[in-house]
Amino acid sequence: MSITWMIFEILGTVAFAFSGAVVGLYRRMDIFGITVLAVMTGVGGGMIRDVLCGITPPTALTHPDSLLVSIGTALVVSFLYPFFRIPRRGKILISFLYHISDTIGLAAFTVTGVLTAFYTWPAYHYVLPTMLGLITAVGGGIIRDMMARRMPVVLYMDVYAIASVAGGLLMCALHGKLSLSLVSWIAFSFVLLLRVAAIRYGWQLYHPHRRLRR
């Protein structure tokens, strides 16, 4: 894989591992449970992606950098959490960092999923790369939420999976027209800004139940 892929892989791993650790903290898990959630969030989507691409064993097991980064992130969050636990501002800060990290992870893993498709199956131009980007971006979060006994955010959080799909399609459209590194950073920035704008302005998808409440 390229340097660009590695940069986004590590960035996404740290971001998602942090979000997994925070969910474990809010569920009052011990350090082992927090680490499990961090690891599953950090490498789960990538492992699903690799299996679908025929990369077995998954990269996270043959080159355990992401695995170790996830564990390290969980340990750091666990030991620093008590310093932010009591003050109200500490809780607000942790909540803010959770949403930011989850958004960064979504954007970064969208890029790595699409890049993996480009490298592994170059003959496929839109559907396969976009779907692999989506699976990589949301797979770990789905595992995290199911293990924490809550509805996966991808099923109800507006402009979440859609942001990943849009970023994947943008990468496919620009592929071959610009350098792959530039395309990756453009797509990453696009997903990041789209998700932040959706949170800031409350953009929502169509909800049938809202009309039934009249």
PDB file of all heavy atoms in Angstrom, residues 31-51:
ATOM      1  N   ILE A  31     -11.152  -1.522  31.991  1.00  0.00           N
ATOM      2  CA  ILE A  31     -10.142  -1.202  30.983  1.00  0.00           C
ATOM      3  C   ILE A  31     -10.092  -2.243  29.864  1.00  0.00           C
ATOM      4  O   ILE A  31      -9.794  -1.915  28.711  1.00  0.00           O
ATOM      5  CB  ILE A  31      -8.759  -1.025  31.642  1.00  0.00           C
ATOM      6  CG1 ILE A  31      -7.789  -0.355  30.657  1.00  0.00           C
ATOM      7  CG2 ILE A  31      -8.223  -2.365  32.156  1.00  0.00           C
ATOM      8  CD1 ILE A  31      -6.510   0.126  31.309  1.00  0.00           C
ATOM      9  N   PHE A  32     -10.426  -3.493  30.191  1.00  0.00           N
ATOM     10  CA  PHE A  32     -10.444  -4.519  29.142  1.00  0.00           C
ATOM     11  C   PHE A  32     -11.591  -4.265  28.170  1.00  0.00           C
ATOM     12  O   PHE A  32     -11.414  -4.330  26.949  1.00  0.00           O
ATOM     13  CB  PHE A  32     -10.582  -5.915  29.752  1.00  0.00           C
ATOM     14  CG  PHE A  32     -10.640  -7.011  28.724  1.00  0.00           C
ATOM     15  CD1 PHE A  32      -9.488  -7.441  28.079  1.00  0.00           C
ATOM     16  CD2 PHE A  32     -11.854  -7.603  28.380  1.00  0.00           C
ATOM     17  CE1 PHE A  32      -9.535  -8.455  27.120  1.00  0.00           C
ATOM     18  CE2 PHE A  32     -11.915  -8.598  27.426  1.00  0.00           C
ATOM     19  CZ  PHE A  32     -10.763  -9.027  26.790  1.00  0.00           C
ATOM     20  N   GLY A  33     -12.787  -3.982  28.704  1.00  0.00           N
ATOM     21  CA  GLY A  33     -13.933  -3.707  27.839  1.00  0.00           C
ATOM     22  C   GLY A  33     -13.711  -2.487  26.980  1.00  0.00           C
ATOM     23  O   GLY A  33     -14.067  -2.468  25.797  1.00  0.00           O
ATOM     24  N   ILE A  34     -13.119  -1.448  27.574  1.00  0.00           N
ATOM     25  CA  ILE A  34     -12.823  -0.222  26.823  1.00  0.00           C
ATOM     26  C   ILE A  34     -11.858  -0.523  25.684  1.00  0.00           C
ATOM     27  O   ILE A  34     -12.035  -0.049  24.552  1.00  0.00           O
ATOM     28  CB  ILE A  34     -12.229   0.836  27.767  1.00  0.00           C
ATOM     29  CG1 ILE A  34     -13.292   1.315  28.755  1.00  0.00           C
ATOM     30  CG2 ILE A  34     -11.670   2.023  26.973  1.00  0.00           C
ATOM     31  CD1 ILE A  34     -12.741   2.155  29.880  1.00  0.00           C
ATOM     32  N   THR A  35     -10.852  -1.338  25.962  1.00  0.00           N
ATOM     33  CA  THR A  35      -9.863  -1.685  24.937  1.00  0.00           C
ATOM     34  C   THR A  35     -10.485  -2.510  23.823  1.00  0.00           C
ATOM     35  O   THR A  35     -10.193  -2.308  22.632  1.00  0.00           O
ATOM     36  CB  THR A  35      -8.690  -2.453  25.568  1.00  0.00           C
ATOM     37  OG1 THR A  35      -8.107  -1.661  26.604  1.00  0.00           O
ATOM     38  CG2 THR A  35      -7.628  -2.782  24.531  1.00  0.00           C
ATOM     39  N   VAL A  36     -11.365  -3.446  24.191  1.00  0.00           N
ATOM     40  CA  VAL A  36     -12.041  -4.266  23.178  1.00  0.00           C
ATOM     41  C   VAL A  36     -12.865  -3.385  22.243  1.00  0.00           C
ATOM     42  O   VAL A  36     -12.808  -3.536  21.016  1.00  0.00           O
ATOM     43  CB  VAL A  36     -12.939  -5.331  23.842  1.00  0.00           C
ATOM     44  CG1 VAL A  36     -13.846  -5.993  22.810  1.00  0.00           C
ATOM     45  CG2 VAL A  36     -12.082  -6.394  24.519  1.00  0.00           C
ATOM     46  N   LEU A  37     -13.627  -2.445  22.805  1.00  0.00           N
ATOM     47  CA  LEU A  37     -14.424  -1.554  21.961  1.00  0.00           C
ATOM     48  C   LEU A  37     -13.532  -0.688  21.076  1.00  0.00           C
ATOM     49  O   LEU A  37     -13.837  -0.466  19.901  1.00  0.00           O
ATOM     50  CB  LEU A  37     -15.312  -0.656  22.826  1.00  0.00           C
ATOM     51  CG  LEU A  37     -16.603  -1.251  23.378  1.00  0.00           C
ATOM     52  CD1 LEU A  37     -17.491  -0.153  23.931  1.00  0.00           C
ATOM     53  CD2 LEU A  37     -17.360  -2.034  22.330  1.00  0.00           C
ATOM     54  N   ALA A  38     -12.430  -0.205  21.629  1.00  0.00           N
ATOM     55  CA  ALA A  38     -11.507   0.625  20.843  1.00  0.00           C
ATOM     56  C   ALA A  38     -10.914  -0.173  19.686  1.00  0.00           C
ATOM     57  O   ALA A  38     -10.832   0.323  18.555  1.00  0.00           O
ATOM     58  CB  ALA A  38     -10.397   1.159  21.743  1.00  0.00           C
ATOM     59  N   VAL A  39     -10.507  -1.397  19.953  1.00  0.00           N
ATOM     60  CA  VAL A  39      -9.907  -2.238  18.913  1.00  0.00           C
ATOM     61  C   VAL A  39     -10.934  -2.582  17.839  1.00  0.00           C
ATOM     62  O   VAL A  39     -10.661  -2.501  16.635  1.00  0.00           O
ATOM     63  CB  VAL A  39      -9.319  -3.520  19.528  1.00  0.00           C
ATOM     64  CG1 VAL A  39      -8.925  -4.514  18.439  1.00  0.00           C
ATOM     65  CG2 VAL A  39      -8.107  -3.182  20.388  1.00  0.00           C
ATOM     66  N   MET A  40     -12.131  -2.972  18.259  1.00  0.00           N
ATOM     67  CA  MET A  40     -13.163  -3.336  17.292  1.00  0.00           C
ATOM     68  C   MET A  40     -13.552  -2.148  16.404  1.00  0.00           C
ATOM     69  O   MET A  40     -13.793  -2.304  15.218  1.00  0.00           O
ATOM     70  CB  MET A  40     -14.400  -3.861  18.022  1.00  0.00           C
ATOM     71  CG  MET A  40     -14.219  -5.238  18.657  1.00  0.00           C
ATOM     72  SD  MET A  40     -13.910  -6.548  17.439  1.00  0.00           S
ATOM     73  CE  MET A  40     -12.128  -6.680  17.489  1.00  0.00           C
ATOM     74  N   THR A  41     -13.585  -0.969  16.999  1.00  0.00           N
ATOM     75  CA  THR A  41     -13.916   0.220  16.212  1.00  0.00           C
ATOM     76  C   THR A  41     -12.762   0.615  15.300  1.00  0.00           C
ATOM     77  O   THR A  41     -12.966   1.013  14.152  1.00  0.00           O
ATOM     78  CB  THR A  41     -14.256   1.405  17.137  1.00  0.00           C
ATOM     79  OG1 THR A  41     -15.148   0.982  18.158  1.00  0.00           O
ATOM     80  CG2 THR A  41     -14.908   2.532  16.350  1.00  0.00           C
ATOM     81  N   GLY A  42     -11.540   0.481  15.825  1.00  0.00           N
ATOM     82  CA  GLY A  42     -10.373   0.907  15.074  1.00  0.00           C
ATOM     83  C   GLY A  42     -10.005   0.007  13.902  1.00  0.00           C
ATOM     84  O   GLY A  42      -9.547   0.495  12.870  1.00  0.00           O
ATOM     85  N   VAL A  43     -10.193  -1.296  14.049  1.00  0.00           N
ATOM     86  CA  VAL A  43      -9.753  -2.220  12.989  1.00  0.00           C
ATOM     87  C   VAL A  43     -10.879  -3.068  12.415  1.00  0.00           C
ATOM     88  O   VAL A  43     -10.679  -3.771  11.413  1.00  0.00           O
ATOM     89  CB  VAL A  43      -8.626  -3.156  13.501  1.00  0.00           C
ATOM     90  CG1 VAL A  43      -7.476  -2.349  14.054  1.00  0.00           C
ATOM     91  CG2 VAL A  43      -9.151  -4.140  14.549  1.00  0.00           C
ATOM     92  N   GLY A  44     -12.073  -3.008  13.006  1.00  0.00           N
ATOM     93  CA  GLY A  44     -13.171  -3.871  12.565  1.00  0.00           C
ATOM     94  C   GLY A  44     -13.568  -3.642  11.124  1.00  0.00           C
ATOM     95  O   GLY A  44     -13.703  -4.590  10.335  1.00  0.00           O
ATOM     96  N   GLY A  45     -13.773  -2.382  10.746  1.00  0.00           N
ATOM     97  CA  GLY A  45     -14.167  -2.086   9.368  1.00  0.00           C
ATOM     98  C   GLY A  45     -13.110  -2.480   8.364  1.00  0.00           C
ATOM     99  O   GLY A  45     -13.416  -3.004   7.287  1.00  0.00           O
ATOM    100  N   GLY A  46     -11.846  -2.262   8.721  1.00  0.00           N
ATOM    101  CA  GLY A  46     -10.751  -2.641   7.835  1.00  0.00           C
ATOM    102  C   GLY A  46     -10.642  -4.145   7.646  1.00  0.00           C
ATOM    103  O   GLY A  46     -10.319  -4.625   6.552  1.00  0.00           O
ATOM    104  N   MET A  47     -10.919  -4.899   8.701  1.00  0.00           N
ATOM    105  CA  MET A  47     -10.867  -6.355   8.594  1.00  0.00           C
ATOM    106  C   MET A  47     -11.977  -6.872   7.689  1.00  0.00           C
ATOM    107  O   MET A  47     -11.759  -7.777   6.876  1.00  0.00           O
ATOM    108  CB  MET A  47     -10.957  -6.975   9.992  1.00  0.00           C
ATOM    109  CG  MET A  47      -9.740  -6.704  10.858  1.00  0.00           C
ATOM    110  SD  MET A  47      -9.830  -7.428  12.518  1.00  0.00           S
ATOM    111  CE  MET A  47      -9.617  -9.162  12.134  1.00  0.00           C
ATOM    112  N   ILE A  48     -13.174  -6.298   7.819  1.00  0.00           N
ATOM    113  CA  ILE A  48     -14.273  -6.684   6.921  1.00  0.00           C
ATOM    114  C   ILE A  48     -13.912  -6.351   5.475  1.00  0.00           C
ATOM    115  O   ILE A  48     -14.116  -7.153   4.557  1.00  0.00           O
ATOM    116  CB  ILE A  48     -15.570  -5.969   7.330  1.00  0.00           C
ATOM    117  CG1 ILE A  48     -16.003  -6.377   8.735  1.00  0.00           C
ATOM    118  CG2 ILE A  48     -16.692  -6.264   6.322  1.00  0.00           C
ATOM    119  CD1 ILE A  48     -17.172  -5.576   9.278  1.00  0.00           C
ATOM    120  N   ARG A  49     -13.350  -5.168   5.272  1.00  0.00           N
ATOM    121  CA  ARG A  49     -12.919  -4.737   3.937  1.00  0.00           C
ATOM    122  C   ARG A  49     -11.913  -5.713   3.342  1.00  0.00           C
ATOM    123  O   ARG A  49     -12.042  -6.128   2.174  1.00  0.00           O
ATOM    124  CB  ARG A  49     -12.299  -3.351   4.041  1.00  0.00           C
ATOM    125  CG  ARG A  49     -11.588  -2.856   2.783  1.00  0.00           C
ATOM    126  CD  ARG A  49     -10.600  -1.752   3.131  1.00  0.00           C
ATOM    127  NE  ARG A  49      -9.482  -2.268   3.930  1.00  0.00           N
ATOM    128  CZ  ARG A  49      -8.806  -1.525   4.811  1.00  0.00           C
ATOM    129  NH1 ARG A  49      -9.134  -0.271   5.034  1.00  0.00           N
ATOM    130  NH2 ARG A  49      -7.792  -2.061   5.476  1.00  0.00           N
ATOM    131  N   ASP A  50     -10.907  -6.098   4.126  1.00  0.00           N
ATOM    132  CA  ASP A  50      -9.865  -6.992   3.625  1.00  0.00           C
ATOM    133  C   ASP A  50     -10.420  -8.360   3.249  1.00  0.00           C
ATOM    134  O   ASP A  50     -10.035  -8.937   2.227  1.00  0.00           O
ATOM    135  CB  ASP A  50      -8.756  -7.142   4.666  1.00  0.00           C
ATOM    136  CG  ASP A  50      -7.927  -5.880   4.816  1.00  0.00           C
ATOM    137  OD1 ASP A  50      -8.075  -4.971   3.978  1.00  0.00           O
ATOM    138  OD2 ASP A  50      -7.125  -5.804   5.770  1.00  0.00           O
ATOM    139  N   VAL A  51     -11.319  -8.886   4.078  1.00  0.00           N
ATOM    140  CA  VAL A  51     -11.915 -10.191   3.775  1.00  0.00           C
ATOM    141  C   VAL A  51     -12.708 -10.129   2.472  1.00  0.00           C
ATOM    142  O   VAL A  51     -12.627 -11.032   1.627  1.00  0.00           O
ATOM    143  CB  VAL A  51     -12.813 -10.651   4.945  1.00  0.00           C
ATOM    144  CG1 VAL A  51     -13.621 -11.885   4.546  1.00  0.00           C
ATOM    145  CG2 VAL A  51     -11.974 -10.965   6.182  1.00  0.00           C
TER     146      VAL A  51
END
